[in-house]
Amino acid sequence: MTENTQQSPRDGGPNSSPTELPTQYAPAEVEGPLYERWVERGYFEAAADSEKPPFTIVIPPPNVTGSLHLGHAFQHTLMDALTRRKRMQGYEALWLPGMDHAGIATQNKVEQQLAEEGKSRHDLGREEFVERVWKWKQEYGGRILGQMRRLGDGVDWSRERFTMDEGLSKSVQTIFKRLYDDELIYRAERIINWCPRCLTAISDIEVEYQDDDGELVSITYGEGEETLVVATTRAETMLGDTAVAVHPDDERYAHLIGKRIKLPLTDRTIPVVADTHVDPEFGTGAVKVTPAHDPNDFAIGQRHDLESMTVMDERGVITVHGPFEGLDRFEARSAIVAALREQGRIVAEKRPYTHSVGHCSRCKTTVEPRLSMQWWVKVGPLAQAAGDAVRDGRVKIHPEDMSKRYFDWVDNMHDWCISRQLWWGHRIPVWYGPEGEIVCVGPDEEPPGTEAEGWTQESDVLDTWFSSGLWPFSTLGWPEKTPDLAKFYPTDVLLTGHDIIFFWVARMMMFGLYAMDGRAPFHTIALTGLVRDEHGKKMSKSNPNSVDPLDWMDAYGADAVRFTLARGANPGADVPIGEDWVQASRNFANKIWNATRFALMNGATLEGELPPAEQLSATDRWILSRLNTVVAQVDAYYEDYQFAKLSDALYHFAWDEVFDWYVELSKTTFMAGGPAADASRRVLGEVLDVTLRLLHPVVPFVTETLWTTLTGRESLVIAEWPADSGFRDAAAEREIETVQQVVTEVRRFRSDQGLQPGQKVPAKLELAGTQLAAHEAAMRSLLRLQPAGEEFTATASLPVAGATVALDLSGAIDVEAERKRLSKDLAAAEKEKAQANGKLGNEAFLGKAPEHVVAKIRTRLETAEADIVRISAQLAALPKA
């Protein structure tokens, strides 16, 4: 535990008087003003010249188009908890906020606005369109930043960055130039994923595959004896076929290799080539080759020096061969199949034919493979370095079993297409000259010439992930050698969803190691799962299970949402969440509030030192021992990113042990007064102080309000994190466990006998020879047991933990009615036992019944036997007639 070092007094804030705590906690009245006070006082700001050790956490920059969803709230809660704890531990904690310009998504938003005005971006021109996007960003962007404040994110707002601000743009241009000069960026014509809706190339990881119903048609190519059959799901691409490929060892087609055959529906002939890529066992063993519209075909075309014919424009419209020219690709597919059928060239049709089809992750349009001149990153050496940094232990992935997904990606990464045919984004810093020159220009260099002299800049922009891949160091001032960069790089932990290992994590690793002299951008990659609904289904805006976390924060408070999310956060595992769980967390916040208010009203205090252990009761020593154990547990769970376990440990300690047991056991001590009561009030103050500190990183608002009232100090945000003092008292823990055992057993008996919770009954407690005598008053209070009078007659006697509790229930229950009820229950249990035994003793039944049926009957037997024991004991305990 920590020393109660006095901090500077709060300006006009609450003191230790409980009268300043309302009877009920109202999050809506507390959270907004409290957060603004934290920001105004600069609690979240980090200083590069601080002598404190640094702790830096990378925020995944949300899209400027975005709004807070439960996935954001989930990850932000965990990042905030980590940062708040480190700040309390004495670190110079930096959690830097910012946004991503989100190239395609943002451009689409503005183009939609223009479409409503009957315009396109081409009506405005590039410069005016980009100005329009900046205006949109100022007007609509950044909503999520305001929502982060609602959640309580302890970020350093003085350092807010944007991936297209001046400093980050310089970082992008610098690293592009360096990669280009090192021959790690190049320009080449390759097959790329093209979105006919967004009108741009997209990377492999921006393609989502799903099973679609299409058709598989088998087509006869060639004439006379020189024919073969190919099968395709994309008949429209046959217009761009420049060969048919077969395996060189396939004897069926040996006579055709090297010959030319007629391509149906055209006036062209195409060669039959032999290529080992072809699987002779699959289909007919012959495949059509369309180098401009399929990546595998492109590779075959390169090997055999085939022509690449592009037959579709950027919108997926056919551009060749008269009767089909001008048709959309899907219209052309149907028209071409119909024309082939008319010629008798369709030998088989399978419809529907379910197969995996790529779709644009942003607009869901079917992606079209397309031959295109693009800019690429040669990822080989960069990916090798990213893999090595994890393999040699410089970077830890948590949980460790997620490493396989990381290695599967970085060890098999293809060159990265980084050019996008957009206007919003970082324009590629390359100029083309009148004589075919290509010049890459750095941030401090002038273009090689003017437009009048025939020089033009590349029109494409960079993939959004190119700039966000620089985030851990570009936000700290790189390429300049800034104090921020020296202090806060490398960052400590990247906490993010396992779904963006490929998009973002690997990019940051590659660029960080390259730009920062082999220093990885973070020490630990802590991967989380995804938030799902209470039934485990994926949440989606198009489904009714989608939840706006702001609605839940309005209804139950930010702390309730945060605690629910943290309590479900097992490393790498998905998080199911339902409104009932948020309500339960709201109840927990209310419990903390009410119990602390009660404690303050009963004099809980932090004045003076804790009394030495020999002056404390067993109850006091027990709770202090348990408190230190929980401090150690919570610390260990934080270091292992076990947010669910630490939240659960705090929940049960606070609710069960502090509020339901310690406070209740101490009530009689408080009422009696004297030195024992003074000592317990000081212990209660200590326990509340430490418990509120432990809870603060996850539930900051309610704990701040209560702690400042309890202590009269400035803020929990800058308070000291509790430390385990090492105090343990196993004897006191055993003693209170015995008290709990007796109270629990008697409560169960009272419930079984139908007594109301508040109903008082006479009782004698025989505690001789046990450690329970000192707790008799508390036990009687908890169990609603009156002293035994002169006419006391024990009608029930309960031996528990070496003690005996004798009760007189004669005036408390209708004994005869209770006997009838229990007898009826006993008869039902005995009947159930007999039926189960009968089936389990039947060899014929056991020989035929499935194992799960037999197991179910065995469970029924065990339940019936336990019920018989329990009910028989209740009957025996009833008063005699």
Side-chain angles (χ1 to χ4, degrees):
M1 292 171 289
T2 60
E3 294 183 11
N4 292 294
T5 307
Q6 184 64 43
Q7 297 170 324
S8 56
R10 287 158 38 92
D11 300 330
N15 53 36
S16 59
S17 171
T19 58
E20 294 196 26
L21 284 178
T23 55
Q24 292 184 329
Y25 178 51
E29 298 175 11
V30 171
E31 292 173 354
L34 186 52
Y35 185 84
E36 292 309 315
R37 184 158 68 244
W38 288 336
V39 173
E40 288 167 6
R41 294 184 175 184
Y43 293 155
F44 304 141
E45 294 180 10
D49 59 357
S50 168
E51 295 183 359
K52 296 178 182 179
F55 175 80
T56 317
I57 196 162
V58 176
I59 191 171
N63 288 351
V64 69
T65 59
S67 59
L68 192 72
H69 56 66
L70 273 177
H72 286 123
F74 171 54
Q75 292 180 1
H76 285 214
T77 293
L78 305 187
M79 287 185 279
D80 193 36
L82 290 174
T83 309
R84 285 177 181 271
R85 173 174 174 263
K86 285 295 184 180
R87 188 178 292 115
M88 294 174 74
Q89 286 183 310
Y91 287 81
E92 193 66 21
L94 172 60
W95 187 22
L96 188 148
M99 293 179 293
D100 193 295
H101 65 279
I104 296 176
T106 307
Q107 178 157 322
N108 281 347
K109 288 281 188 183
V110 178
E111 288 196 90
Q112 289 167 11
Q113 279 190 341
L114 289 174
E116 292 172 2
E117 300 170 14
K119 298 178 182 178
S120 74
R121 58 176 161 137
H122 300 286
D123 294 323
L124 274 64
R126 183 169 191 142
E127 186 175 340
E128 188 177 343
F129 176 79
V130 171
E131 289 179 5
R132 178 76 176 253
V133 182
W134 276 106
K135 181 180 178 182
W136 184 93
K137 185 259 182 185
Q138 296 301 325
E139 187 173 353
Y140 296 102
R143 287 174 296 173
I144 199 169
L145 299 180
Q147 293 164 340
M148 286 165 59
R149 302 171 90 95
R150 281 289 312 277
L151 189 64
D153 283 8
V155 296
D156 186 346
W157 292 109
S158 69
R159 297 171 180 268
E160 181 185 335
R161 303 303 300 268
F162 180 52
T163 50
M164 283 188 61
D165 67 28
E166 184 177 351
L168 269 64
S169 294
K170 181 177 182 180
S171 299
V172 169
Q173 197 170 353
T174 299
I175 201 164
F176 187 99
K177 170 71 171 174
R178 290 188 185 180
L179 289 165
Y180 182 86
D181 289 346
D182 287 344
E183 298 184 348
L184 292 173
I185 283 183
Y186 64 95
R187 187 172 184 245
E189 191 174 43
R190 299 264 186 87
I191 291 285
I192 48 90
N193 304 296
W194 181 265
C195 177
R197 159 63 182 80
C198 297
L199 298 180
T200 182
I202 57 176
S203 65
D204 291 345
I205 54 179
E206 292 170 301
V207 179
E208 294 178 347
Y209 287 90
Q210 66 184 47
D211 287 341
D212 287 357
D213 285 340
E215 61 179 347
L216 179 68
V217 293
S218 298
I219 310 166
T220 301
Y221 278 34
E223 300 287 356
E225 295 182 359
E226 296 183 348
T227 63
L228 41 68
V229 175
V230 301
T232 182
T233 58
R234 301 168 66 220
E236 69 279 8
T237 63
M238 69 173 293
L239 301 177
D241 286 359
T242 56
V244 172
V246 298
H247 193 277
D249 298 331
D250 193 335
E251 295 182 358
R252 293 172 295 176
Y253 306 114
H255 66 291
L256 291 177
I257 295 173
K259 294 186 177 181
R260 300 184 70 86
I261 61 174
K262 185 172 184 347
L263 177 65
L265 305 182
T266 72
D267 56 3
R268 293 191 293 117
T269 61
I270 56 177
V272 178
V273 299
D275 197 283
T276 55
H277 170 76
V278 179
D279 180 1
E281 302 299 324
F282 183 77
T284 65
V287 297
K288 58 191 288 299
V289 182
T290 321
H293 293 278
D294 182 274
N296 293 322
D297 294 2
F298 178 78
I300 294 174
Q302 294 288 98
R303 288 193 289 272
H304 297 277
D305 197 24
L306 300 176
E307 181 185 2
S308 295
M309 292 182 59
T310 300
V311 298
M312 285 180 236
D313 68 11
E314 60 184 11
R315 298 181 184 275
V317 175
I318 301 299
T319 58
V320 297
H321 199 72
F324 309 111
E325 189 173 357
L327 293 180
D328 171 80
R329 53 185 168 155
F330 300 119
E331 296 173 335
R333 181 178 301 172
S334 298
I336 287 171
V337 170
L340 291 168
R341 191 183 297 115
E342 187 176 337
Q343 291 186 6
R345 287 187 174 271
I346 302 292
V347 298
E349 295 182 67
K350 186 175 181 180
R351 188 186 300 110
Y353 177 74
T354 303
H355 60 131
S356 182
V357 178
H359 296 261
C360 174
S361 61
R362 291 179 175 82
C363 70
K364 311 310 176 187
T365 300
T366 299
V367 168
E368 191 65 43
R370 175 182 172 88
L371 184 63
S372 181
M373 183 67 76
Q374 301 285 344
W375 285 91
W376 305 79
V377 172
K378 186 184 295 182
V379 299
L382 302 175
Q384 176 71 42
D388 290 345
V390 175
R391 287 189 172 93
D392 63 24
R394 281 175 287 159
V395 178
K396 304 289 187 184
I397 293 181
H398 186 86
E400 190 175 353
D401 58 11
M402 284 283 179
S403 298
K404 183 179 184 302
R405 297 185 65 176
Y406 177 81
F407 291 131
D408 284 347
W409 179 251
V410 297
D411 292 347
N412 299 285
M413 195 182 296
H414 301 297
D415 283 3
W416 173 19
C417 176
I418 55 171
S419 47
R420 297 293 181 267
Q421 289 64 56
L422 304 170
W423 288 354
W424 172 246
H426 295 100
R427 195 166 177 179
I428 291 176
V430 168
W431 269 255
Y432 302 112
E435 304 300 326
E437 304 97 327
I438 299 179
V439 177
C440 181
V441 176
D444 300 318
E445 299 172 350
E446 293 294 325
T450 65
E451 286 190 17
E453 296 169 336
W455 287 88
T456 58
Q457 185 179 357
E458 169 64 69
S459 60
D460 290 353
V461 301
L462 289 164
D463 179 10
T464 296
W465 298 102
F466 189 96
S467 51
S468 59
L470 314 180
W471 189 255
F473 52 93
S474 63
T475 53
L476 298 174
W478 186 90
E480 307 302 328
K481 294 182 178 180
T482 64
D484 282 353
L485 198 62
K487 176 76 172 180
F488 297 112
Y489 187 94
T491 69
D492 287 87
V493 59
L494 169 71
L495 191 145
T496 191
H498 60 64
D499 57 323
I500 59 171
I501 291 178
F502 323 121
F503 290 93
W504 191 45
V505 178
R507 311 300 192 202
M508 287 188 289
M509 286 287 286
M510 291 192 302
F511 284 163
L513 290 161
Y514 172 79
M516 299 300 294
D517 301 320
R519 290 185 296 154
F522 17 75
H523 301 306
T524 302
I525 301 169
L527 297 171
T528 70
L530 308 179
V531 177
R532 297 184 179 274
D533 72 12
E534 57 195 303
H535 305 294
K537 294 181 179 178
K538 183 178 179 179
M539 287 190 176
S540 170
K541 291 181 180 179
S542 59
N543 293 334
N545 68 351
S546 180
V547 174
D548 184 344
L550 293 177
D551 292 340
W552 281 355
M553 282 191 270
D554 288 342
Y556 308 111
D559 283 334
V561 174
R562 290 170 62 112
F563 192 72
T564 304
L565 292 165
R567 204 173 177 194
N570 290 298
D574 288 348
V575 183
I577 184 172
E579 189 165 3
D580 288 351
W581 304 339
V582 186
Q583 291 173 352
S585 295
R586 184 269 316 274
N587 295 343
F588 178 53
N590 289 341
K591 181 76 170 182
I592 299 170
W593 182 272
N594 293 333
T596 304
R597 189 171 182 276
F598 169 84
L600 291 170
M601 292 175 65
N602 282 272
T605 182
L606 288 169
E607 293 182 6
E609 296 295 324
L610 271 174
E614 58 270 17
Q615 295 180 17
L616 298 176
S617 69
T619 306
D620 292 336
R621 298 196 306 276
W622 161 72
I623 197 63
L624 290 173
S625 181
R626 289 292 305 129
L627 178 66
N628 279 285
T629 298
V630 170
V631 169
Q633 286 177 337
V634 169
D635 277 333
Y637 288 144
Y638 263 115
E639 296 306 315
D640 200 33
Y641 305 99
Q642 297 278 0
F643 295 98
K645 289 183 179 180
L646 73 88
S647 299
D648 213 46
L650 287 171
Y651 175 89
H652 288 294
F653 175 71
W655 191 309
D656 300 343
E657 299 188 78
V658 178
F659 303 143
D660 278 358
W661 281 107
Y662 180 71
V663 170
E664 293 298 322
L665 287 170
S666 300
K667 281 182 178 179
T668 53
T669 305
F670 294 151
M671 291 175 63
D678 291 340
S680 291
R681 290 187 179 101
R682 180 62 184 85
V683 170
L684 180 54
E686 181 78 9
V687 172
L688 287 175
D689 171 28
V690 174
T691 302
L692 291 171
R693 292 180 197 235
L694 291 172
L695 283 165
H696 176 73
V698 180
V699 284
F701 294 106
V702 67
T703 52
E704 170 85 340
T705 307
L706 293 173
W707 187 84
T708 52
T709 303
L710 170 70
T711 65
R713 297 175 189 163
E714 185 177 349
S715 175
L716 254 180
V717 179
I718 55 172
E720 186 178 351
W721 180 252
D724 175 9
S725 71
F727 176 78
R728 301 288 191 280
D729 193 325
E733 290 195 35
R734 287 193 299 271
E735 184 171 330
I736 300 306
E737 285 172 6
T738 304
V739 173
Q740 292 172 327
Q741 185 180 355
V742 173
V743 171
T744 300
E745 286 299 317
V746 177
R747 279 176 172 170
R748 183 181 295 116
F749 176 78
R750 287 176 56 103
S751 176
D752 289 342
Q753 300 304 320
L755 294 176
Q756 297 300 314
Q759 190 173 356
K760 294 183 178 181
V761 295
K764 283 186 177 179
L765 276 63
E766 298 176 10
L767 308 176
T770 72
Q771 298 175 312
L772 300 175
H775 306 285
E776 179 171 353
M779 292 164 64
R780 284 186 176 276
S781 176
L782 289 168
L783 292 169
R784 304 294 190 267
L785 301 180
Q786 295 175 325
E790 293 182 2
E791 300 178 356
F792 175 82
T793 301
T795 60
S797 183
L798 299 176
V800 185
T804 301
V805 180
L807 304 168
D808 180 0
L809 304 179
S810 57
I813 61 172
D814 184 337
V815 176
E816 199 54 40
E818 188 65 13
R819 192 183 306 280
K820 287 181 180 180
R821 182 184 71 81
L822 291 172
S823 297
K824 183 178 179 182
D825 290 347
L826 181 60
E830 289 173 338
K831 181 179 179 181
E832 177 75 3
K833 176 183 176 181
Q835 290 176 342
N837 272 329
K839 289 186 176 181
L840 293 174
N842 185 334
E843 294 296 334
F845 170 78
L846 293 176
K848 295 179 181 179
E851 181 54 39
H852 74 275
V853 173
V854 176
K856 186 176 181 180
I857 293 172
R858 288 198 179 102
T859 301
R860 284 170 52 191
L861 175 61
E862 292 171 2
T863 302
E865 289 174 336
D867 286 345
I868 290 170
V869 172
R870 176 180 57 81
I871 298 168
S872 297
Q874 291 175 238
L875 279 166
L878 285 175
K880 301 296 185 287

